Amino acid sequence: MGGMTRTEAGTGTGRRVSEARERLLRTAGQLFYAEGIHTVGVDRLVAEAKVTNATFYRHFRSKDDLAAAYIGSVDQAIRAQIDSLTAADMPADGILRGIGASLVEQIGSPGYRGCAFLNAAAEFPDPDHPVHRAVVRHREWFLKTITGLFAEIADDSAEHAGRHFVMLRDGAMSAGYLGDPVLAGETLLRGIEGLLRIHAARGLDERAAAPVADQPSSAPTVVSGVECSPPGA
C-alpha cells in the first residue's frame, strides 16, 4: 500500500479513504469469483471487508456498481499483464505464446472456476447492464489486441486469427474448469502453435507475392536489413 497508514475501518481517524475502497474491491473480487455475484450480499461484503454500511455506500452506489468495478479491476490486471510482455520487447508470436502460458497457469491454479468475464456475463445477460457492458468492453479490447499481434506477423487474415485465438481461450477456460485442467491447457497450447504456424505461413506468402517497385524483372533484388521478427522485436 506504499506506506499508507492503516487504521481500523469506520473509526474516522486518519483512515485513508482509498484503503477502505480497495479492501471492499479485493473482498468482492474473492467472493464474487468464488461464489458468484448474485449470491453474495452487501451485508457479507461489509462484514468480511471490515467496513461499515456507510463506508460501502460512500464508495459504491450499489452492489451492481461494485460488481462493475470488480470486472474493471480484472480487466486492468490483464491489460497490465499483456503490457508487461510488450514492454519486454518480445516479438508478436512470443507475446501470444506468453498469453497462452499465462492462461494455462491460471487454469491449473487452486480455486480456479472459469473465466471471470464469462461468469459475469452469464449472471448479467442484459446488454445494457453496467456489468455486461464492462465485460463487452474487455472482450472488444482483448480481441483488438490479439488481432493487432497477429497483424504484426501477417496482415492477411489477422482478424480471423484473432477471433480463432479468442475462441481457443474461451474454450480452454471453460474446459479447464469443467474438465481436466491439464488436458485443457495442453490443448490450448497446441492450438496456439498450430494457429501461429498457419498464420506465419500466410506471412511468408505475402512477402513472396509482394511486388518490388522500380526493379528490373530479370535481375534479383538484394535487400539488406531484413529481420525475421515482427516490428519492435
Side-chain angles (χ1 to χ4, degrees), residues 149-160:
L149 289 168
F150 276 108
E152 290 187 31
I153 300 170
D155 284 333
D156 184 41
S157 300
E159 291 185 7
H160 172 78

Side-chain angles (χ1 to χ4, degrees), residues 53-72:
N53 281 326
T55 298
F56 178 93
Y57 289 109
R58 186 180 304 126
H59 296 292
F60 302 101
R61 294 186 300 273
S62 64
K63 193 183 80 171
D64 284 0
D65 189 31
L66 174 58
Y70 150 64
I71 290 299

Side-chain angles (χ1 to χ4, degrees), residues 180-211:
D180 186 332
V182 175
L183 289 178
E186 291 175 352
T187 303
L188 172 64
L189 294 181
R190 284 199 300 271
I192 291 173
E193 285 301 324
L195 187 57
L196 284 170
R197 185 169 59 252
I198 292 170
H199 194 67
R202 289 195 179 102
L204 291 173
D205 291 342
E206 282 181 6
R207 289 189 287 274

Side-chain angles (χ1 to χ4, degrees), residues 7-15 52:
T7 62
E8 292 300 319
T11 63
T13 52
R15 183 174 131 293
T52 64

